[in-house]
Amino acid sequence: MPTIVEVKNLKKRYKDFEAVKGVSFDVEQGEIFGFLGPNGAGKSTTINMLSTIIKPSSGTATINGYDIVQKRNKVRSSIGLIFQASTLDEKLTANENLMLHCKFYGVAKKLREERIQEVLQIVDLTDKRYNIVETFSGGMKRRLEIARGLLHYPRVLFLDEPTVGLDPQTRAHIWDYILKLKEKAGITIFLTTHYMDEAEICDRVAVMDHGALIALDKPVQLKKNVGGDILEIATEDNVTAKSRIEETYQTEVLEKEGILTFQVERGDEFLVQFVKEFEIPITSVNLRRPTLNDVFLNLTGREIREETVSQKDRMKQGRGH
Amino acid sequence: MEGIFAIWQRDILKFFRDRSRLIGSFAMPFMFLILFGSGMSGAMSSMLGGSEAGALRDFDFVEFMFPGIIGMTVFNTAIFSALSVVQDKEFGYMREILVSPMSRVSIAIGKVLGGSTVAVFQGLLMLVFVPFIGVSISFVTIIQLIPTMFLVAFAISSFGLLIASTLKTTQGFQMVIQVLIFPMLFLSGALFPLNGLPFWMDILVKINPLTYSVDMFKKIVFDIDAMTPELIEAMGLNLSIFNHVISFTEEVLVVGAISLVFVILATYKFSTTEA
Ligand SMILES: Nc1ncnc2c1ncn2[C@@H]1O[C@H](COP(=O)(O)OP(=O)(O)O)[C@@H](O)[C@H]1O
Ligand SMILES: [Mg+2]
């Protein structure tokens, strides 16, 4: 697969704060590439540099072969952008929003009607074409934005937290559309998220923390690197249990809200043995496969806290409505 | 090119869709005409030394105000059209515009043209007051008014865009505009004749671009040749600098030059906007 996005040592500095600390990676044509990381990790800043919205402090990147600083307009024609916060004109109809976009991007006059019908169909909004956007639900607005982002047939579609602030059902729908896009249009999709389950769907995931990339691989591979399975137990004496496990099995144990978590090889076999041997009474046990959250936990010692983040983002999104 | 048109078109589309703004635009001129016109015209003309008899018998304050009302409407609409730039920043649509391959210059020009066009529409709407005022407006007058309104609106829209490009919030913009709008209106001769002002105030009047704009509208609306010199004097229709009475052509050049300066500054400033 040829490379469509090439990033070399990209940095962004705000006064004395380095928001992005020199990231390098390639994105292959046709893949779904995900940026995973907690709020403030530098995901949006990176996407904004790649999409020419802000200038990098140093480093280079090319999209579709065009340099993001030297060939801004070429880059802009090559990409579609869906931002964290809405950028629709809500006083206008869906059709007017789409028509204006065609004109902004110089889509040939005779292609417009066909393209508009096509993208509306992809996101199931054909029957809402002449309605004012103000009357749309949050999910419909998101879908319309995705449709609009596709009108000029971009090579890469950037989505910054595409499902933030949406209810789970709508989130699932948006994902259906994104996957449909990948299949139908063969478009490269570059997205950011702090939802683990969304990162799972990506072909490859770059894990970002404090402005740096700390891992980049297929989700399956990332989880494999965690090593074995995750065992979560609660005991009558967690403090003693923690030190006992660490001593006996030479593994790191994390304690949170009364639950001890640690990694083990071949979890099912281990568990049988463990329950038999362990002296401190166990009150609950849970054995599971590692998730991307464990990947992040493993790499940083912290969790990506979904609840607080999405709450904050929802407030951001609500602004101005 | 098409980009300029699209930006312009959006402003027009939104203007005609926003009924409340359309109706609201009549409120202020209507208030001025009622208040100053009917209520105070007597006081005004006696203040100006006119009475029942004499040379100023023909001075009708409502009539005097009419070109000023047109000027004020064009001015307000044009400058507030730039508010949409700040709103677009706040509501996010500016990003959609700025990440497109359109050049910043086209976007700025499109915005200024959109604001100018809307201001011309608004100015023309003020002509509905004509039958109630008693001025006679001919078809030729209207044909002359349109390009003049456009020129004035272009200068003011550019000025608005310049301010809007430096500000991030709607409140900030509205505050700056309020602070600017009233002194400029009062010192333009739109609302009352500017006779016998102190020297320093006279200077402010002469450097105020609105003075020349309003005077152009007066020259178009009034039949100055048919007026007595006293009436011309009382109505402040003899705008002059260093004893040189300024002609319509000179005013077009002045406002044209101001337009050019502002549109260049505004475009430059807007080009530095980050999305
Ligand atoms: N314009 C700015 N000025 C100063 N700091 C900024 C600016 N934009 C972002 N940051 C900071 O950069 C960091 C990364 O932000 P961002 O890229 O938005 O994170 P993410 O999208 O991963 O949540 C944050 O700490 C944020 O506060
Ligand atoms: Mg972000």
Side-chain angles (χ1 to χ4, degrees):
Chain A
M1 271 290 181
T3 305
I4 187 103
V5 181
E6 234 180 301
V7 183
K8 286 203 190 84
N9 206 17
L10 206 59
K11 279 187 194 166
K12 183 68 188 182
R13 163 178 290 282
Y14 291 114
K15 298 210 178 72
D16 53 357
F17 173 71
E18 221 169 24
V20 176
K21 300 169 180 159
V23 295
S24 303
F25 58 91
D26 289 349
V27 180
E28 283 162 21
Q29 202 172 308
E31 75 173 330
I32 300 186
F33 186 88
F35 249 37
L36 174 70
N39 215 21
K43 306 183 297 293
S44 295
T45 308
T46 308
I47 252 190
N48 287 347
M49 284 192 281
L50 293 179
S51 54
T52 76
I53 290 166
I54 55 175
K55 285 204 177 104
S57 307
S58 67
T60 58
T62 60
I63 291 178
N64 199 17
Y66 301 117
D67 187 284
I68 58 164
V69 179
Q70 314 293 329
K71 293 271 183 285
R72 288 179 124 185
N73 284 353
K74 290 282 189 191
V75 171
R76 286 174 181 164
S77 303
S78 311
I79 62 174
L81 275 166
I82 287 109
F83 294 102
Q84 212 166 324
S86 164
T87 66
L88 295 165
D89 189 330
E90 305 208 347
K91 300 280 180 206
L92 300 180
T93 64
N95 185 58
E96 286 161 346
N97 270 285
L98 298 174
M99 208 41 117
L100 283 172
H101 187 91
C102 286
K103 289 175 183 168
F104 294 166
Y105 282 78
V107 174
K109 237 188 199 119
K110 57 177 189 291
L111 292 176
R112 286 176 196 164
E113 178 58 31
E114 186 191 318
R115 292 260 181 111
I116 289 178
Q117 284 180 13
E118 180 190 346
V119 298
L120 282 174
Q121 195 162 15
I122 292 176
V123 299
D124 276 340
L125 282 175
T126 306
D127 54 335
K128 298 280 187 263
R129 179 167 173 183
Y130 298 103
N131 294 18
I132 302 270
V133 176
E134 222 168 14
T135 64
F136 285 18
S137 69
M140 283 158 67
K141 287 180 195 165
R142 227 48 305 231
R143 273 147 60 196
L144 179 60
E145 284 202 80
I146 293 176
R148 189 182 62 178
L150 295 171
L151 272 175
H152 56 285
Y153 283 3
R155 303 293 306 276
V156 186
L157 186 66
F158 286 95
L159 301 119
D160 195 0
E161 311 257 1
T163 60
V164 111
L166 301 176
D167 60 83
Q169 201 187 345
T170 316
R171 272 178 62 194
H173 266 121
I174 298 283
W175 270 100
D176 287 344
Y177 295 122
I178 294 176
L179 292 174
K180 202 157 96 185
L181 268 184
K182 187 200 162 180
E183 257 169 49
K184 275 184 76 170
I187 197 172
T188 308
I189 293 166
F190 187 136
L191 61 92
T192 75
T193 184
H194 60 259
Y195 295 120
M196 302 303 149
D197 50 340
E198 292 189 353
E200 299 270 357
I201 303 171
C202 299
D203 294 315
R204 286 193 307 149
V205 173
V207 184
M208 192 168 208
D209 191 36
H210 294 309
L213 284 193
I214 50 178
L216 197 175
D217 216 325
K218 295 189 171 70
V220 182
Q221 197 59 44
L222 285 172
K223 285 184 284 187
K224 236 183 224 163
N225 294 347
V226 171
D229 302 321
I230 308 290
L231 191 57
E232 296 169 323
I233 63 166
T235 66
E236 287 182 354
D237 181 2
N238 275 350
V239 182
T240 322
K242 183 172 188 283
S243 55
R244 186 70 51 86
I245 296 167
E246 280 176 342
E247 253 168 54
T248 322
Y249 304 103
Q250 297 296 309
T251 178
E252 201 182 331
V253 180
L254 279 156
E255 188 188 357
K256 213 183 121 212
E257 285 154 17
I259 307 280
L260 300 175
T261 306
F262 57 104
Q263 298 157 17
V264 289
E265 301 282 342
R266 263 168 284 137
D268 35 6
E269 288 168 31
F270 175 91
L271 181 60
V272 176
Q273 206 60 29
F274 176 76
V275 173
K276 239 188 268 172
E277 286 171 5
F278 206 58
E279 305 98 16
I280 303 163
I282 300 169
T283 51
S284 78
V285 168
N286 180 32
L287 179 70
R288 59 176 176 81
R289 306 288 308 158
T291 64
L292 284 174
N293 195 32
D294 299 309
V295 173
F296 191 79
L297 193 67
N298 204 36
L299 290 165
T300 66
R302 289 177 293 116
E303 290 194 51
I304 302 186
R305 308 212 22 208
E306 302 197 11
E307 319 79 42
T308 46
V309 172
S310 59
Q311 207 74 38
K312 202 168 159 189
D313 281 333
R314 208 164 297 160
M315 276 163 60
K316 245 196 230 165
Q317 283 232 318
R319 169 192 67 132
H321 289 278
Chain B
M1 260 338 258
E2 172 123 52
I4 298 183
F5 174 72
I7 298 280
W8 173 85
Q9 193 188 28
R10 173 169 172 256
D11 276 359
I12 309 301
L13 212 61
K14 293 185 81 162
F15 170 72
F16 284 109
R17 193 154 296 171
D18 193 352
R19 293 281 147 74
S20 57
R21 189 176 133 196
L22 215 64
I23 294 163
S25 66
F26 285 102
M28 190 133 103
F30 186 72
M31 203 184 70
F32 272 107
L33 284 172
I34 296 286
L35 193 74
F36 288 101
S38 320
M40 288 172 66
S41 64
M44 276 301 203
S45 2
S46 60
M47 210 167 73
L48 292 164
S51 57
E52 297 308 308
L56 297 179
R57 194 188 46 219
D58 292 336
F59 188 95
D60 177 12
F61 197 72
V62 179
E63 208 178 314
F64 163 80
M65 277 192 67
F66 187 63
I69 294 284
I70 293 180
M72 190 177 80
T73 307
V74 169
F75 175 61
N76 275 340
T77 315
I79 206 155
F80 272 107
S81 72
L83 183 65
S84 71
V85 174
V86 189
Q87 277 170 342
D88 283 346
K89 274 192 228 173
E90 280 188 338
F91 286 88
Y93 195 78
M94 189 51 81
R95 287 201 142 187
E96 157 76 357
I97 296 174
L98 290 178
V99 297
S100 75
M102 281 185 290
S103 77
R104 302 280 150 115
V105 175
S106 324
I107 300 169
I109 302 286
K111 268 289 169 196
V112 170
L113 289 177
S116 311
T117 311
V118 167
V120 170
F121 278 129
Q122 285 277 22
L124 283 176
L125 283 176
M126 291 307 120
L127 296 180
V128 303
F129 289 117
V130 165
F132 308 103
I133 292 171
V135 278
S136 63
I137 299 268
S138 68
F139 183 68
V140 176
T141 307
I142 295 175
I143 296 302
Q144 289 172 324
L145 271 178
I146 292 174
T148 312
M149 286 196 274
F150 192 84
L151 180 66
V152 171
F154 192 87
I156 305 300
S157 294
S158 309
F159 179 58
L161 181 63
L162 177 62
I163 296 173
S165 304
T166 57
L167 297 171
K168 279 215 167 62
T169 62
T170 320
Q171 284 106 327
F173 181 82
Q174 268 162 336
M175 214 184 69
V176 171
I177 295 303
Q178 295 297 354
V179 168
L180 284 171
I181 229 173
F182 282 105
M184 282 176 85
L185 270 177
F186 279 111
L187 294 174
S188 71
L191 306 175
F192 41 83
L194 300 168
N195 293 324
L197 292 179
F199 180 67
W200 64 271
M201 221 183 220
D202 196 50
I203 289 177
L204 289 181
V205 169
K206 298 289 156 65
I207 60 171
N208 181 1
L210 274 198
T211 306
Y212 306 99
S213 309
V214 169
D215 200 58
M216 285 195 286
F217 294 128
K218 287 181 185 167
K219 285 194 166 104
I220 292 173
V221 172
F222 297 136
D223 185 7
I224 294 183
D225 294 338
M227 289 180 177
T228 60
E230 291 90 342
L231 188 58
I232 290 175
E233 170 88 37
M235 283 180 124
L237 294 174
N238 49 354
L239 187 65
S240 56
I241 292 183
F242 304 125
N243 292 323
H244 166 71
V245 178
I246 297 166
S247 70
F248 186 81
T249 315
E250 284 164 341
E251 284 171 339
V252 170
L253 290 176
V254 168
V255 179
I258 292 169
S259 293
L260 203 63
V261 171
F262 279 144
V263 79
I264 289 169
L265 287 177
T267 306
Y268 172 74
K269 186 70 203 161
F270 182 81
S271 300
T272 62
T273 317
E274 282 206 336

